[in-house]
Each structure stands twice: as C-alpha cells, then as structure tokens.
Amino acid sequence: MEKRYEVYCLADTHFYEIPDRLSATAGGRRRTGLYETAQRPVPDGWKSTRSGDWLNLTPVDADGTPRPGRPAQGWKIHVSATAASAEKTAAAVWDHCVPRGIPFKFVPAPHLLHLRNGKYAPRDGGGKFVTVYPADEDELHTVLTELHEIVGGAPGPYVLTDLRWHEGPLYVRYGAFAPRYCTDAEGTLVPALEDASGTLVPDRRDPTFRVPEWVTLPAFLEPHLAARNATTVGELPYRIEKALHFSNGGGVYRGTDTRDGSAVVLKEGRPHAGLAADGADAIARLERERDALEKLAGLGVAPAPRDWFAVGDHRFLVMDFVEGRPLNSFFAERHPLLVPEPDPAALADYTAWALRVHRAVEEAVEAVHARGVVFNDLHMFNILVAPDERSVTLIDFEAAAPVTEAGRQIVAHPGFVAPPDRTGTDVDRYALACLRLALFLPVTTLFGIDRAKAGHLAGIIAEHFPVPREFLDEAVAEITRDAAPATPEKRLPGAGPAGLPDPGDWPAARDSMVRAILASATPDRDDRLFPGDIAQFTDGGGLGLAHGAAGVLHALAETGAERYEQGERWLLEHTDPVPHGTPLGLYDGLAGIAHTLHRLGHTQRALDLAGSLLAENWRRLGPGLHGGLAGVGLALDDLAEATGEKALRDAALEAARLLADRLVTDAATPGGRRRAGLMRGTTGPALLFLRLHERTGAPGLLDLAGAALRDDLGRCVRTPIGSLDVDEGWRTMPYLGDGSVGIGAVLDDYLAHRPDGADDLTEARDRILTAARSRFYAQPGLLQGRAGMIWHLARTTAPGVTREDIDRQVSALSWYAMPYRGELAFPGHQMMRLSMDLATGTAGVLLALGAALGGDRPAPLPFLPPLRAPQSRLHHVVES
C-alpha cells in the first residue's frame, strides 16, 4: 500500500484530489481557513502565486517579472512550525523578508500543514512550513542570525533533508530555487541543479542532509554539522542491525540487546512529526503504544515492552522481537487464485487455513478488549502469523486507546478504515469483518468508495471458495451497517453491482463507461480535465496519455465513442503555450499529446508540440516508452510519415541510434539498469526498432529489436506456477506496463517477422501467457492490472489462447466495478478512489474491452495495433 495516496482521498469521496481543495468542516471550523498572514494584501512590488500547497511571495519589477539578480539555486532556509506556532512564524518571516526584498514561500493553511507533517507524508517534505531564498552566503548568514533572534527555539518538526541551525526551527540545505528539470538514471523528469560544469543534475532530496560535491559548506555552518554528527546511539545497550520501516514519524529497527543477546525491535518517535488525525505526534502515539503493551503484558498476543529512552529529542520504545511473518506476505505464495486453473483441493486447503487464521485473530482481539484496550489499527500488515501458522501476534499499537474512551479511529489502513459512526471496540469489529473478506479477495479498499460493494465481493468469494455462507453474511452485515443495504444473495455469481451493465455486455458497457467518463469531466479546471491518478497533479500529468486528457481522448476515439469536442478544445487550449516543466515523453508528456492530437485531426498543433519537444534537451531522456527516447522516437517517426517533415524523421532515427548505443553499453555493464518491461525497460526501444524496420526494411533494426527483448527477458524469472514475470528484486510483476506481459506483446510483433530460429523467445512468450491467465489480480487497470491482461490476450497471435480465456478475464472485471452517477466506472491505482485515466482507470478498461470485444475495429494502444498478416506496413495504415 502506497501511503502517499491517502492524503489525496481527503478532499473528494469519489476521486483522488489535491488536498488544497479540501472543503469539509471539522468541529464547526472551516478546515480550509487560511492563516491571517496568508490573507494579507500583496505588498507593492511583490507578486503572490500558488503552487501545490505553497503560497509564493516574489519581489517583481513594474512589468510583473521577477527582479533580476536572484540566483537559480543556492543555500535555502526552511522554517518548521507546529499548529500552535505556525501563525506567529509566518508573520515573523513575512515581516522580515518583505522589507528586505527576499523571496519566500509558506504553507498558507492549517490543514495543509497538518497533512505535510502527517505520519505517511513524504519524509523529504516533512517539517517544511516556510522556505526563504537568500541571494548569497552573506545574506544566508544574516537571515539565519536575525530570524533566530525572533523565532529561535520555537517548536517544530525536524527537517530531515536539512542541517539544523542551533536548536531550530531554522534549517538549511543547498538546492534549487527556480524550477529546472533533468532526467535521472531511470529517465524520470526530476528537479535539477546545475553542477560545476554547468550540467543539470538531479536535486536529490533524500531524508538526510548532504552537500553536493561541488559545493563547499560555509564556515558558519560547520559547528552545526558537528553538533548533528555528535548525536549517536553508540552508548546504548542495543545494537541496531536493520531498518524495518520508515514513516514521517520515525523508523522501526531490528536489533540486539547487547546485555543478553536477545533480539529486539526499536521504534522511534520524532517530536511534532508523524501527526495522526487527532493531532497527536509520533511521540504521543509511541507513548500510547507503550501504555497499551504494558496493559497487555503476559497475554501472548502482543510484543512485550522492554525499554523506553531518549536520544536527543527523539524517543524510543524497545520491544521483544516476535518470530512470525505479516499476514499479507502469505498471499503471493499460497493464494489459490494466482493460477489459471485453481485446484479444488487447494481452494479447500486455503479456505481452512484462512478460517483458522481469522479465528486466531478474533481471539487475540477479544483478549485485547478484555484487558480494556481497543487496537484501532487492525489490518494484514499488523498481524504476525507464527511459524506454526496457528497463533498470531498483533503489532503496532500506537493508535490503541482505552475501551472506556469509546473514541474514533485516528490512524488506519485504507482497506480497514472504519466508518465515522464506529467507535471503541466497534472499530476493531469492523476491521475483523473486513478481514473475513480480505483473506479471500484483498480488495477491501473499495469500501472507502462504497461499502455496499461488500455484498458483491461476498458473492464472488462464495462462488470460488468453500466458505460457510454465514461467515460471509455476518461480515457484510457488519460492514454495511447503517449504509445502503446489500443483497448479495439476489445477484448472480460474478455479476456486477446491481444496476450496472456487465463488462462483457458490449456496447452497453462501453456506452455506460463513456457516460461515466464524460460526467466526471471538469473543463472549468486548468490542472486536469478528467480525474485520474495522483500523478496528474505533477507537471504535465493532467495532459498526457498515461494519466491526463490525451489518454482518455485516445480511448474514446479508439472504441468508437462519439467525439468529445469540448475535451479536444480543452487539450488544445492547455497546450498553447505548453506549461513549463511538461515532460517530453510518449505517456507522460509532449510526444503523447502530439500523437493524440494528430490522430484526432489537429496535425498542425501536433507539429507545434513536436517542435517544442525538439527545442528541449530530449537526447538526455532515458530509454523507455513511457517518458524516454523510445516513445519520443515512435511519435516523431509517425508524425514524419504523415507530414513528410524531414527534421522529425531525422530526430526519430537519432533516437534509435542513441538507444542502440546504450543497448551496447548496458550489455557491457551488467546490473547497470534495473527496470524491465514495456514502459521503462528495453522493450520500448525494441518496439521502436521494429517499427523503423517495418518502414525501412533494414535487417539490423530487427537484430536490435531481438537483442533489446532478450535484455528485458534476462531480467525475468520463472514463477512457481510456471509463468514468466519481471523480477524487481522484492516482487515479481506480470503486468502490461512494467511487467512481463508488456514484453510478451512486443514479442508477438517480433516473432511475426522472425517466426523461425527463436525457440527461446517462443517459449518465453508462452510462459508470459500463463501470467496473463491468472484468476486474481489486485487491480483492474490497463498498465498494472487485469485490463492489461485482457488487452494482451485479445491481441496476441500465440497459439492456445481461447475465447474462454478472454471471457473469463472480462467477466472478472466486475469484481472491481463501481457506480459513478449510475454508470459503470472503475477504481484507480491503490483502489481507494475511482479513476478515469488510461493507465489506471476507466479509460484503460474501456480500451481493453474495446480490444477484446470491438469486433472488426479492436482498440489499439499507440504503436501496438491489432496483429494481422501481412505485418510489414500495417502499422502505418492503422496508426497514421
């Protein structure tokens, strides 16, 4: 579970939304109220702008442009604050900087500051309430000295990326002032700094203080660095051996008690950081955990507390290490629906195991309640299953509370978060009910959108597993209590939610998804047209193919939906001019937008965007299809074929040459590249080589395509079920975007040209098909879910794929189907909110169904048209 998604669930009940649009009320007060300082009139000669959760104040000339002479990078000052000190701190910085003409920015509202310091907020941004941009080192020293006299010693979270000035709340780091970008080692666009040679390099924002190698630490900061380095844990009777987990509130470490050699867990709490919903910081929550564990001592259902101590401002709770594995870790190795044809005996064995584990968890929770404690954060990651797989231990009691308080939940996993009406022990009972379903179908995050989905999931579970119906019905009754009634027994097994068309009912399903997509459109907004993944709120995300307007318009056009002219106008208007910082790639930026607009008939705008792309430093992009040279080359070559523009053709060929050179370099340095798959591996370059071969006939390009595909296949592993998945080191991935199925799709195109003499590739393609036939996928999306499997099965030319294979996957899309304004829609990445985008949401499902059910006009992905013989020039017929 990616915790960063949770903050995007606060402002809207249906879609991921930026927290700045939060408009709910709490305790009778507007949570969106601004600090008084943020409501001050903008001074003469200054400009005020909003960017994300920042309010920027910049001195400007008479024409409104920033005053010249300010650097693009340097030593910046961060000021941290608590809820109590923030208003005074913001006013102090304003009053200091405005008369001196020093630009600055600050977080303008209390709820935004709370979210920035939340437990699962990004650690590299934690504590940063104000940023000040001194002109040089002299001004840096002056501002630090003078501001320290005003706010020095005020409470605030430690800024992990920075060096603390005295006791805080002032911190410093060297970094970018102006927004400049470059690509990192994986080809991702990231904030940039200029190094000593004038080259843009990534502005690293790791949660630890570091000085770029070409920068010298000012002498007046040296004592503060020495003070920072003087704080260690070397004198403690514990040896820290491994970090188990990090959050904005601190770390969790495995270690050894050097006095007796026993294994321990040390849990860290940082002051004023890692805030929960009730405002409690990490130390307050750690104290709650200590108190709860002391009450539960001797029960055998929770770790035994051992010690409590401080290191600097941080607190540490030491607990006995408990042998066991988190419950969630069992799924990959034992869930019986991870294979194409589940064995009835395996289904029965798994059911017995799941029922036994759930009963053990129920008994543990009952014991906790009997000691007067509510756990308040029960979910699969907080349940350790003992090696005997019969007993369990509950961990992470920082949200625990006395039963007598009958309080609400303040920290929760999205798949187990209780409704607001549940308090006290009812919070744990709700989580136990969710666990009954999640043990069989771990998609209970959908309940955050609509709890009525529980009845539908129970019906699916009953269809596949020999679970006592009473076990499921009791769970549904608890989950849906005081919600819309669910009647799973009146639904056909596997059918979608009541009132929605079955995904396999084409074109009724298509028309319903199109209506849902259009109903969600917000043409009055500038940041995005259609709601989608949280990536759309970063530069260019609301425009591109993966998460923006271009991808949705592509899916609508390719599935035969009526033309959405208002959406096309929105995309045309919002790329004239191109927003600063827009990425360049096929799925993340300009190349994909240009390709889509050309396909929709706006070829001149496509040429304009291609010109903007070529004016950037596109040669430094990474290799991949998503945001790298492969996607750029494909888009430019396609546009050149349609328009005859020689500069575009030349650039496409240059992209291919650069990729060929890198392929040779990577082969000579094994281990230098870690990503594989269609979007970010060498499969994307293979696709470019193939398409250029089809246009030019050059056999060397076909050789390069084969080498690139074998390079990605070398990063795959055979799984226990016999499938071939991409090996990411800590997990294996079968998916279309970053998994093996994307490699299999391009293998199909390659083998159409070289069907003989490639037995290893044919075998790999067949094993990848096994990955596409699994009965369970955690998400429905196109690039990382079941829809991608449908698209591949519908397109592949590999022998052995049956209509039944496709229909089974299409039918299972109903597992995730959700209503939006009475129409068929699907959740996005992490399954916590609906999405309409191509990569993760409804538009991607629409495209996949169009590929499987579209008849004579199956829906293609860009540069991956339906496979038909002869192959040689079909690409240009379909894609131009």
Side-chain angles (χ1 to χ4, degrees):
M1 182 61 62
E2 295 186 40
K3 290 293 185 179
R4 62 197 178 105
Y5 277 75
E6 291 186 44
V7 72
Y8 291 89
C9 295
L10 299 174
D12 193 286
T13 58
H14 286 103
F15 302 112
Y16 294 121
E17 184 59 272
I18 49 174
D20 194 36
R21 297 180 74 92
L22 188 66
S23 59
T25 60
R29 295 178 297 170
R30 296 290 293 180
R31 294 174 65 183
T32 52
L34 299 175
Y35 293 116
E36 291 181 6
T37 305
Q39 301 178 61
R40 291 184 182 183
V42 180
D44 292 338
W46 285 75
K47 182 179 180 179
S48 172
T49 57
R50 285 295 299 272
S51 59
D53 56 0
W54 293 105
L55 176 64
N56 303 271
L57 277 297
T58 309
V60 294
D61 287 335
D63 62 356
T65 59
R67 293 177 190 169
R70 306 302 299 191
Q73 64 189 51
W75 289 97
K76 63 176 75 173
I77 301 170
H78 288 118
V79 191
S80 69
T82 64
S85 67
E87 182 68 80
K88 182 178 179 181
T89 299
V93 173
W94 180 297
D95 293 342
H96 181 85
C97 291
V98 168
R100 295 164 177 81
I102 304 172
F104 66 101
K105 66 181 181 181
F106 66 101
V107 178
H111 74 282
L112 296 177
L113 178 61
H114 181 95
L115 294 174
R116 179 168 282 270
N117 292 326
K119 179 179 179 181
Y120 290 109
R123 299 171 69 219
D124 61 355
K128 297 175 182 177
F129 172 55
V130 181
T131 308
V132 182
Y133 301 98
D136 51 36
E137 290 184 8
D138 289 339
E139 189 167 75
L140 170 71
H141 194 191
T142 299
V143 174
L144 284 169
T145 302
E146 294 179 353
L147 272 182
H148 180 72
E149 294 177 358
I150 303 170
V151 301
Y158 199 105
V159 180
L160 295 174
T161 59
D162 290 27
L163 179 64
R164 184 165 66 179
W165 178 259
H166 295 294
E167 71 274 23
L170 303 175
Y171 297 80
V172 294
R173 73 175 286 265
Y174 191 95
F177 290 5
R180 294 190 290 179
Y181 301 89
C182 70
T183 54
D184 63 12
E186 295 184 350
T188 302
L189 202 68
V190 295
L193 287 171
E194 188 176 303
D195 67 12
S197 68
T199 303
L200 290 179
V201 298
D203 181 10
R204 296 183 61 183
R205 302 179 184 186
D206 304 327
T208 183
F209 177 67
R210 66 176 72 246
V211 182
E213 59 184 17
W214 68 91
V215 175
T216 301
L217 184 75
F220 56 84
L221 293 180
E222 291 177 358
H224 303 280
L225 180 60
R228 181 182 187 277
N229 293 337
T231 301
T232 69
V233 295
E235 297 181 0
L236 296 173
Y238 304 103
R239 182 175 61 251
I240 294 177
E241 297 161 345
K242 181 181 179 181
L244 301 177
H245 173 70
F246 285 108
S247 75
N248 203 21
V252 181
Y253 311 91
R254 179 171 177 172
T256 298
D257 188 328
T258 57
R259 295 166 296 190
D260 60 12
S262 57
V264 296
V265 171
L266 299 92
K267 192 168 184 179
E268 175 190 22
R270 301 200 300 126
H272 313 300
L275 304 181
D278 63 348
D281 69 0
I283 291 179
R285 289 186 287 101
L286 202 59
E287 290 172 342
R288 291 172 181 171
E289 181 161 17
R290 178 197 61 193
D291 295 345
L293 294 182
E294 289 175 349
K295 290 181 180 179
L296 301 175
L299 280 180
V301 299
R306 180 181 286 248
D307 200 357
W308 174 264
F309 62 86
V311 175
D313 295 333
H314 297 203
R315 298 293 184 272
F316 286 82
L317 172 64
V318 185
M319 301 165 277
D320 287 347
F321 177 81
V322 177
E323 290 288 346
R325 293 169 54 195
L327 179 55
N328 70 292
S329 69
F330 285 85
F331 280 91
E333 65 188 45
R334 84 183 324 162
H335 198 283
L337 296 187
L338 296 177
V339 298
E341 297 296 337
D343 178 13
L347 290 165
D349 289 346
Y350 179 85
T351 299
W353 174 84
L355 293 174
R356 184 174 70 245
V357 168
H358 189 274
R359 183 56 196 151
V361 176
E362 281 187 321
E363 291 173 350
V365 171
E366 290 167 359
V368 169
H369 289 177
R371 286 283 179 95
V373 176
V374 179
F375 189 14
N376 266 336
D377 195 17
L378 179 70
H379 57 81
M380 292 192 196
F381 292 81
N382 283 351
I383 301 167
L384 291 183
V385 180
D388 64 6
E389 297 190 14
R390 293 189 174 275
S391 59
V392 299
T393 301
L394 307 181
I395 61 172
D396 199 358
F397 278 80
E398 62 183 38
V403 169
T404 54
E405 288 184 0
R408 287 177 54 181
Q409 203 168 23
I410 59 169
V411 174
H413 184 283
F416 295 79
V417 59
D421 63 295
R422 310 300 169 90
T423 60
T425 55
D426 277 354
V427 171
D428 290 346
R429 293 190 183 98
Y430 178 88
L432 284 168
C434 291
L435 184 62
R436 290 192 181 201
L437 304 186
L439 280 165
F440 298 95
L441 284 184
V443 295
T444 55
T445 47
L446 294 175
F447 301 163
I449 307 171
D450 185 359
R451 278 185 283 152
K453 185 68 175 179
H456 181 217
L457 294 182
I460 296 168
I461 294 168
E463 178 189 2
H464 288 83
F465 295 90
V467 186
R469 190 64 205 221
E470 183 181 5
F471 180 84
L472 300 173
D473 289 345
E474 289 174 353
V476 172
E478 177 63 35
I479 292 166
T480 60
R481 177 158 55 90
D482 302 321
T487 54
E489 67 281 355
K490 296 182 180 178
R491 297 177 184 156
L492 294 175
L500 297 180
D502 186 276
D505 184 7
W506 189 270
R510 176 197 64 188
D511 295 343
S512 185
M513 284 186 282
V514 169
R515 288 192 294 268
I517 289 170
L518 297 183
S520 75
T522 54
D524 57 315
R525 288 179 60 161
D526 291 324
D527 57 341
R528 54 101 160 143
L529 176 59
F530 301 102
D533 190 73
I534 66 173
Q536 66 182 193
F537 299 118
T538 57
D539 292 321
L543 300 173
L545 267 174
H547 306 297
V552 178
L553 293 174
H554 172 86
L556 293 174
E558 297 297 346
T559 54
E562 185 177 347
R563 190 157 186 165
Y564 182 41
E565 295 183 359
Q566 186 179 19
E568 294 177 31
R569 288 196 301 272
W570 186 95
L571 187 56
L572 290 168
E573 291 169 0
H574 286 79
T575 53
D576 186 20
V578 175
H580 181 75
T582 300
L584 306 181
L586 180 64
Y587 277 84
D588 67 352
L590 289 181
I593 301 168
H595 177 71
T596 301
L597 288 175
H598 166 55
R599 298 271 290 162
L600 293 171
H602 305 289
T603 300
Q604 185 54 54
R605 174 57 56 79
L607 288 169
D608 293 342
L609 294 178
S612 297
L613 188 162
L614 293 178
E616 299 290 337
N617 194 4
W618 58 272
R619 296 172 182 84
R620 295 189 68 247
L621 292 174
L625 188 70
H626 184 272
L629 287 172
V632 167
L634 284 162
L636 294 179
D637 182 65
D638 183 74
L639 196 54
E641 183 77 357
T643 64
E645 291 287 338
K646 183 176 184 299
L648 301 183
R649 173 66 42 75
D650 291 345
L653 293 173
E654 184 177 0
R657 285 193 293 272
L658 290 169
L659 288 168
D661 291 343
R662 292 186 192 179
L663 193 63
V664 173
T665 302
D666 285 346
T669 56
R673 185 185 54 79
R674 291 174 291 183
R675 302 299 294 271
L678 177 64
M679 288 293 142
R680 294 173 177 84
T682 51
T683 297
L687 182 61
L688 174 60
F689 297 143
L690 277 170
R691 297 298 173 240
L692 289 176
H693 165 76
E694 290 167 1
R695 183 175 60 76
T696 66
L701 288 167
L702 202 54
D703 294 337
L704 285 168
L709 286 167
R710 284 188 168 89
D711 185 64
D712 260 5
L713 288 171
R715 300 172 194 277
C716 294
V717 293
R718 185 173 173 178
T719 70
I721 68 168
S723 68
L724 197 67
D725 287 7
V726 167
D727 183 7
E728 293 194 338
W730 61 284
R731 64 178 178 180
T732 62
M733 295 285 278
Y735 298 113
L736 176 62
D738 293 316
S740 57
V741 164
I743 302 172
V746 181
L747 268 176
D748 279 326
D749 291 75
Y750 178 80
L751 291 172
H753 293 281
R754 287 188 173 169
D756 301 321
D759 292 344
D760 60 327
L761 297 185
T762 301
E763 180 185 358
R765 180 176 65 167
D766 293 342
R767 293 199 179 280
I768 289 170
L769 282 178
T770 301
R773 290 188 175 111
S774 173
R775 293 295 183 93
F776 176 77
Y777 300 99
Q779 302 183 133
L782 180 66
L783 295 189
Q784 205 167 351
R786 192 181 296 272
M789 308 308 181
I790 294 170
W791 180 88
H792 179 56
L793 291 173
R795 180 180 184 270
T796 185
T797 54
V801 176
T802 67
R803 189 71 230 179
E804 183 182 1
D805 291 327
I806 299 172
D807 290 345
R808 181 185 294 131
Q809 298 290 13
V810 169
S811 176
L813 276 175
S814 69
W815 297 8
Y816 326 90
M818 304 291 288
Y820 178 68
R821 297 191 179 180
E823 305 294 349
L824 179 61
F826 290 88
H829 193 52
Q830 301 298 305
M831 305 273 284
M832 296 159 65
R833 289 294 184 267
L834 301 178
S835 170
M836 298 299 176
D837 72 26
L838 181 71
T840 72
T842 306
V845 175
L846 173 66
L847 188 89
L849 290 175
L853 308 175
D856 294 335
R857 194 176 182 274
L861 275 170
F863 311 110
L864 284 164
L867 290 174
R868 304 167 186 166
Q871 180 73 21
S872 59
R873 293 193 57 80
L874 176 67
H875 164 65
H876 303 295
V877 174
V878 174
E879 286 293 316
S880 297

